[in-house]
Structure formats: structure tokens, C-alpha cells
Amino acid sequence: MPDNIQLLPDHIANQIAAGEVIQRPASAVKELLENAVDAGATEIRLIVNDAGKALIQVIDNGKGMNETDARLCFERHATSKIRQIEDLFHINTMGFRGEALASVAAVSQVELRTRRHSDELGTYIEIENSAVVRQEPCAAAPGTSISMKNLFFNVPARRNFLKSNAAEMRHVIDEFIRVAMAFPQLFFSLTHNGQQVFHLDRGSLKQRLVQLLGSHYNSRLVSVQEQTDYLNIQGFVGKPESAKKTRGDQYFFVNNRFIRSAYLNHAVMQAYQDLIPGDSFPAYVLFIDLNPEQIDVNVHPTKQEIKFEDEKIVYAFVQAAVKHALAQFSITPTLEFDIDEGIQKLDAVSKPFTQEQQSAASSSGLYQAFTRQHQAHFIEKSKPDPAGNKTDSPSGALKSWETFIEASSSGGKNEGSFEYEQASSFDWEPPKKKWQLPEVCDFLQIQLQYIIAPVQQGYILIQQQLAHERVLYERYAAALVGKPMATQRSLFPVTIDLSPADAAMLLEMLSDMALLGYHIEPFGQNSFVIQGTPADILQGNERAAIEQLLDQYKHFSSDVKFSKREKLIRSLASQHAIRTGTQLTQAEMRQLARDLLSCAQPNVTATGKPTFIEFNRDYLNRLFEK
């Protein structure tokens, strides 16, 4: 009987190992940038073509390598950072496993040029499928230039799993941002298809954050700085008013290494408790420096998950540091003791408190209630008014139900109220359903968020925002399958500047957004011109609408089961829906109810929330025992 267990050939073993380290172009970008940082470089340039599928090149001015090291660095588990097992618990470098370059060489065509500052000639090495094809001396600048071409050329199945160039480029930008953010004292640049995306000069941490995340963060950041015997915490957190619906701009670094930690994120969220809504997330960039012996970074192939020796201590320090920063910069609510000048001129302040006034005040029931021991609950009843009017409640505090109904159903509109689109874009015949509106009926809006609509067998209570979300969702879904929406051209086109990550995201969505009524064109680096918007977007609000759309798109991007188009139409429906607190006229309420009941699935939103609750006649009769 032949043996069943055999040793894998080296090239197959390398490709299997590469599957853990190099999952997409962004994975290789991370490994190569970290190697450049470990090499002591002060200038690091990243060049990519076709989102890294065709080329990923990192050029640095670090210490370089000699001929032997240049050849040996592509071997598996070859590293200059580990000598003995104890070194694993004293790691101060970004990489240490010796797997990155071996994995890169296993799935791409690699060219390496490197020279030490003390050498006259450098070394050129060409590798394909883990085998050295060419090695020779060459002229080279001090430092290292490594290029990986045609990623996954020898593993076509892996290449087929890659996303579009726009999607892969967003991942490349994310990895670039994480490395560049951790080292503001170094120069970084990113060039994609010959166009420079980032040019980051050396500077302070705040300058680097503004360069990476956008200039709007310049006035939204609060400094965090805590020095303790156990660890040091520094960085910035966003002001509560800048909180978003997504977790996009949240970064944790431990000893300059980007990590993911739901546990520490919870500590930051606790520090913001009662300062932001429960469904919002603050921005933060926090650097935690502590003894490498207190952490274990060797728990995940990407090194983005680490273990702390005592997580509870780190949790407490992070929460306290963020709370202290918010309080120190007067972000948390405080009492204001400045007295208005007008108050100083009142008689009660400017005139003396006479003996007669003191006696009258001390004999009052209110004074007695506050000065008696164990009588804090005692309040003297007010005397009835001789005219027969009750004085124990403020005037106008109680309103009759008829007055409330009259106020709720008034047709007046407040300033800036929503103009509901009168013409429905549904051109098919509404299906017959059990919820049928009478030909002539009145609608009632309650608390500026609920609509009572009569139906044949009772009435339905509609939540106006969720109902409009359902209507818009089906309208946008129809637009993407052959019924494009009309575009309202802007008289004065608006230019919008975005961060590189958001620009890459918007570029990916332009074709689908054109079907939904948006006419947006690229306009230089990370800039776009909004030439037209759907008819229901108020003129002058185009820039805010695009920014909110991108924020909402990121919110749905966390769910991998959604397609790109599904995320887009859900984002637009959520953004454009009328908000709670908007007053609607009878015509607007009638149109909204008709559009809702004409939907293919009117009773729930795309996210599963109910749009209305039905109160039929039988149920009402049971309530009143009829």
C-alpha cells in the first residue's frame, strides 16, 4: 500500500501560506509599507496601477540590503527581527514573521532593487512563482524599491474573487491611511495610474489627520493626552456634534500598530454616553503606548488583533482619558454662571432687601416648605381665585382633545417644511389589496410623525418617515431596472471635494447614481461637479445630500450580504425620506398614503421595520367590548 501522507512541494506550500497573508492587493500594500517603515525610511512612495492588480511598487530611502540579504529575504520565515523565542515578547517593529515577501513572491512577479548607503552598487533580483529568475548587480538609489506585478497571475481562481478596481482601490487607500497615520514624522505619497492621490509631508499628528481625513476635521478634533506609569494614551477624538451614523473614522493604534478591538471601542462609546445619540458613532484616533511584554501581537496573520495582559486596565484608562479630554475642552455639559447685564439692573438685585420684605418672604408657604425639616414633599395648596378660576395649574397648560386634534390636523406649514412630490413615478396599476382608501376622506397628522388614514375596515396609523422610505426604495429599485428617474439640471453646478477614500467610493457608484437622477462628473483629484440631481432634492442642498449619501452608504457597507446597488438604493431611501417633525398638508398625506399602499410590500421597510399598524373594525369593537 502506498503512503497517503506526503510533503507538499515548496511552491504549493508558499501559495497556501500566501492565502493567509495576501488576500487582495491591499494586503500586499500593508506588508510592503510596514517593511519600508521597519527599514528606517524617512520617505516612502507607493505606486499602484489598476488598483494593485497590475502593479504595486513601494520605494523607500531606508537602509537597504546587501546581496545576501536581498536573496534571503524571499525565503519563508526569514527575518532580521527575531533571534530567539523571547524576542516575540519584545517586538517594536511592524513586521516580524518573515512571511510577507515569501507570500508576495508566491503569487506575483517580483522585481527588487536595493542598495545600502555604504555600497556603490545595488542588487537586482527578479522572482516569478517563488523562483529566482534573475539576479545581478545594478545601479540603484540608496534604499529599496520592490515591485509586484500581475497579482495572482498563477492562481486565476483567486484573481476572479477580486472586486472591481474602485472597490479594491478603496481597500488600498484604507491600508495606506493606517500606516501613514501612525507615522506623521515620515513622508508618504500614493500614486494611482499616474495620478497622485496623497502627498503627505512630515508634520504633526493633527496635520496628518487633516490631510488624510479631510479639512473639515480641523475644527472637530479634541486632543487626548494622558501619561501614566502603565501606559500612555495620545491622539484625538471628535466633538459630539461631528458623530456619524457609521464607524468609518475610528482608529486604534497600539505601539503604532493599527488594531481592531470591539472591547476598547466600547470604552470610547461609554465615554460619549449621553453626549451623542445611541445610533451615532464618534470619530477617534488613539495611540496606546505600553510595554511590549504586556501584549501579544502574534495571534492573527494580519497582526490587526492583539491580546492584552490585562484588558480591564487598558479599558479603564481609555475611557478615563477620553472623558477627561471631553471635560477639559468643555465638551461635556456644564453650568453657565455668567449673569446677564440686564439681570443686574433688576430691582431684586440692585435694591436692598428690607426688613419688611424679609419678614414677608419668611412667612410665605414656599419658604416654610424649604426650611422645615423632613417636609421637602410638603407644598401648600394654592387658594382658589375669587373669580372662580383655578390657579393650581399654569394658564394654557391643559388643552382639550378637540383643540389638540384641531392643531394637529391644521393645514398650515412651517418654514422649511417638506414639499412632497405630487406626481408619483409609479406608472403601473396599483394591485388590489385589503387596504383601500376611500375616495373622499380626511387625514390626521399626530405629533408631526404619525398619520391616521381611514381604510374600508377601520384605519391605519402610518409612520411617515418609514412609509416614505418604503415608497422611495421601490421607486429607486424600479429606476435601476429600466425606469431611470428624471434629472433636474443645476443652474449653477456645485463642486464638492472629498477625501480620497470617499472619492473612490463615489466614483464606483456614478453609473448607478445616473439612473437615479444624479448627474455627477469627476473634476480633478478627489473633486466632482454636481451637474444635476433628482427633482426632490432642494436646490442649494446638493453638497450636503452627497455627503449624507456617502455616510449612509458606509453604514450599509458593513453588511456583506448587500450588493452594491442594494446598498445604494437603501442609502438614498433613508436619506431622502421625510423626517419626523415635518408638517404635511392634506394633499401630501393623501399622496403619501396612496403611494405606500401601491407598493409591492407596503407594510414594512427594506430593513424590516413596520411602516404602519392596522386597526380594523373587529379589533376596535373588542377593545370597547361591543
Side-chain angles (χ1 to χ4, degrees):
M1 295 293 292
D3 297 332
N4 291 326
I5 298 178
Q6 299 179 6
L7 292 176
L8 289 174
D10 288 342
H11 69 281
I12 297 179
N14 287 340
Q15 288 188 9
I16 294 174
E20 296 181 356
V21 180
I22 309 299
Q23 301 174 358
R24 59 189 343 141
S27 305
V29 167
K30 172 182 179 296
E31 300 292 345
L32 296 181
L33 288 177
E34 289 181 350
N35 281 349
V37 171
D38 289 340
T42 59
E43 296 183 1
I44 301 175
R45 291 174 170 84
L46 171 63
I47 301 171
V48 296
N49 288 341
D50 293 339
K53 299 175 183 178
L55 171 68
I56 298 175
Q57 183 178 10
V58 173
I59 305 173
D60 68 67
N61 65 345
K63 57 187 179 182
M65 293 180 284
N66 60 24
E67 182 179 359
T68 304
D69 289 343
R71 178 70 178 261
L72 192 60
C73 71
F74 290 100
E75 298 295 330
R76 288 194 64 197
H77 309 305
T79 178
S80 62
K81 300 153 187 175
I82 299 293
R83 291 289 184 269
Q84 51 191 356
I85 190 63
E86 289 77 11
D87 293 340
L88 279 175
F89 302 98
H90 300 86
I91 292 175
N92 291 306
T93 56
M94 303 299 292
F96 58 90
R97 296 187 179 193
E99 295 178 338
L101 293 182
S103 299
V104 166
V107 292
S108 65
Q109 299 166 330
V110 178
E111 293 182 3
L112 172 69
R113 285 181 173 86
T114 182
R115 178 170 79 86
R116 296 184 299 182
H117 292 256
S118 59
D119 296 336
E120 294 183 359
L121 287 178
T123 302
Y124 172 81
I125 295 180
E126 184 178 342
I127 297 180
E128 183 173 322
N129 201 16
S130 297
V132 176
V133 177
R134 184 180 173 191
Q135 178 177 349
E136 62 186 16
C138 71
T144 301
S145 171
I146 182 168
S147 304
M148 53 177 297
K149 302 177 182 179
N150 301 323
L151 182 65
F152 299 136
F153 78 100
N154 53 351
V155 195
R158 292 288 303 277
R159 192 176 181 89
N160 292 336
F161 278 97
L162 297 179
K163 305 298 182 182
S164 64
N165 282 2
E168 293 297 339
M169 190 58 198
R170 282 195 289 115
H171 289 287
V172 169
I173 291 175
D174 287 342
E175 295 294 348
F176 177 86
I177 287 176
R178 291 165 185 168
V179 177
M181 190 179 290
F183 300 94
Q185 72 277 15
L186 307 182
F187 168 85
F188 286 89
S189 70
L190 169 59
T191 303
H192 180 226
N193 290 339
Q195 183 178 7
Q196 191 171 66
V197 181
F198 284 105
H199 181 93
L200 308 175
D201 291 319
R202 305 180 186 93
S204 65
L205 175 59
K206 186 172 184 180
Q207 291 172 335
R208 180 60 54 90
L209 296 183
V210 171
Q211 288 176 317
L212 291 172
L213 303 181
S215 57
H216 57 278
Y217 272 103
N218 196 24
S219 59
R220 299 182 181 180
L221 298 177
V222 176
S223 176
V224 178
Q225 193 74 245
E226 294 291 340
Q227 306 287 332
T228 70
D229 294 336
Y230 186 79
L231 56 78
N232 298 329
I233 301 176
Q234 63 175 341
F236 292 90
V237 295
K239 296 179 180 179
E241 58 267 24
S242 65
K244 297 182 179 180
K245 299 294 183 182
T246 62
R247 300 180 182 270
D249 299 328
Q250 295 184 340
Y251 300 88
F252 269 118
F253 297 87
V254 174
N255 294 349
N256 284 338
R257 185 191 305 276
F258 173 78
I259 67 163
R260 302 178 187 273
S261 175
Y263 189 67
L264 296 185
N265 176 75
H266 186 269
V268 177
M269 295 299 294
Q270 287 296 107
Y272 277 88
Q273 193 173 17
D274 300 329
L275 295 179
I276 60 176
D279 59 346
S280 298
F281 304 95
Y284 59 80
V285 180
L286 295 176
F287 291 81
I288 303 173
D289 295 323
L290 74 166
N291 192 329
E293 296 181 1
Q294 307 292 336
I295 59 175
D296 183 4
V297 297
N298 191 31
V299 296
H300 195 273
T302 63
K303 301 183 288 289
Q304 291 186 358
E305 296 179 10
I306 67 175
K307 286 185 178 180
F308 294 94
E309 186 178 59
D310 193 334
E311 282 188 329
K312 294 182 179 180
I313 293 180
V314 180
Y315 181 100
F317 274 124
V318 169
Q319 182 179 0
V322 175
K323 276 190 174 182
H324 184 223
L326 295 176
Q328 183 178 0
F329 286 86
S330 301
I331 301 300
T332 53
T334 57
L335 293 176
E336 180 59 64
F337 291 101
D338 292 339
I339 300 179
D340 190 354
E341 294 182 358
I343 297 178
Q344 297 284 358
K345 299 178 181 179
L346 296 177
D347 291 345
V349 177
S350 60
K351 292 184 178 180
F353 193 35
T354 64
Q355 188 68 32
E356 291 78 7
Q357 291 173 333
Q358 293 182 27
S359 301
S362 60
S363 62
S364 67
L366 184 61
Y367 180 86
Q368 298 285 340
F370 275 96
T371 55
R372 293 175 186 171
Q373 291 185 351
H374 313 298
Q375 292 293 318
H377 63 281
F378 176 77
I379 298 179
E380 184 178 357
K381 293 184 179 180
S382 301
K383 296 180 180 180
D385 190 3
N389 299 324
K390 295 183 179 180
T391 60
D392 54 348
S393 63
S395 176
L398 299 179
K399 290 185 178 181
S400 64
W401 170 252
E402 293 79 11
T403 305
F404 174 74
I405 292 296
E406 182 180 356
S408 300
S409 59
S410 62
K413 294 178 67 66
N414 52 8
E415 184 178 355
S417 59
F418 170 76
E419 294 286 350
Y420 187 75
E421 185 180 358
Q422 299 297 320
S424 174
S425 65
F426 291 100
D427 55 3
W428 60 79
E429 191 69 24
K432 291 184 179 181
K433 299 180 180 180
K434 66 177 182 178
W435 303 292
Q436 295 289 334
L437 295 174
E439 292 295 331
V440 179
C441 61
D442 290 329
F443 297 82
L444 177 63
Q445 186 182 26
I446 298 178
Q447 297 179 353
L448 299 182
Q449 62 174 321
Y450 301 108
I451 298 173
I452 294 181
V455 291
Q456 292 182 349
Q457 298 298 325
Y459 69 90
I460 57 177
L461 182 65
I462 301 174
Q463 212 290 336
Q464 63 187 40
Q465 180 173 343
L466 298 179
H468 198 204
E469 279 189 29
R470 182 73 230 183
V471 172
L472 293 178
Y473 176 82
E474 295 202 1
R475 188 174 301 173
Y476 295 147
L480 290 179
V481 293
K483 299 179 181 179
M485 300 181 65
T487 299
Q488 180 176 348
R489 301 283 296 192
S490 300
L491 185 60
F492 302 100
V494 178
T495 302
I496 181 172
D497 296 322
L498 301 173
S499 66
D502 287 347
M505 183 185 303
L506 181 58
L507 193 64
E508 183 183 6
M509 299 188 296
L510 288 184
S511 59
D512 287 333
M513 292 182 66
L515 300 175
L516 299 172
Y518 284 94
H519 184 192
I520 303 175
E521 299 175 351
F523 187 67
Q525 181 178 353
N526 303 328
S527 298
F528 296 85
V529 176
I530 306 174
Q531 300 283 7
T533 57
D536 56 353
I537 297 295
L538 297 178
Q539 292 295 313
N541 199 34
E542 299 90 347
R543 184 180 289 107
I546 295 299
E547 291 176 350
Q548 293 172 7
L549 169 63
L550 293 175
D551 189 31
Q552 196 68 40
Y553 187 85
K554 295 175 189 175
H555 175 69
F556 287 112
S557 292
S558 59
D559 198 330
V560 295
K561 69 181 180 182
F562 293 148
S563 66
K564 181 179 67 175
R565 287 190 165 188
E566 179 71 11
K567 296 173 189 175
L568 178 59
I569 61 178
R570 288 193 179 204
S571 302
L572 285 172
S574 178
Q575 176 201 349
H576 292 170
I578 56 177
R579 298 303 181 204
T580 295
T582 303
Q583 189 173 7
L584 303 179
T585 64
Q586 283 288 326
E588 290 168 342
M589 289 188 285
R590 182 177 296 108
Q591 187 65 44
L592 177 59
R594 288 176 177 174
D595 286 348
L596 176 64
L597 297 182
S598 299
C599 290
Q601 191 174 0
N603 55 335
V604 293
T605 65
T607 56
K609 297 179 181 178
T611 58
F612 66 85
I613 298 176
E614 180 184 10
F615 295 85
N616 58 42
R617 187 177 304 167
D618 295 337
Y619 174 70
L620 295 174
N621 288 338
R622 289 197 303 271
L623 288 178
F624 293 97
E625 299 180 356
K626 290 184 63 178

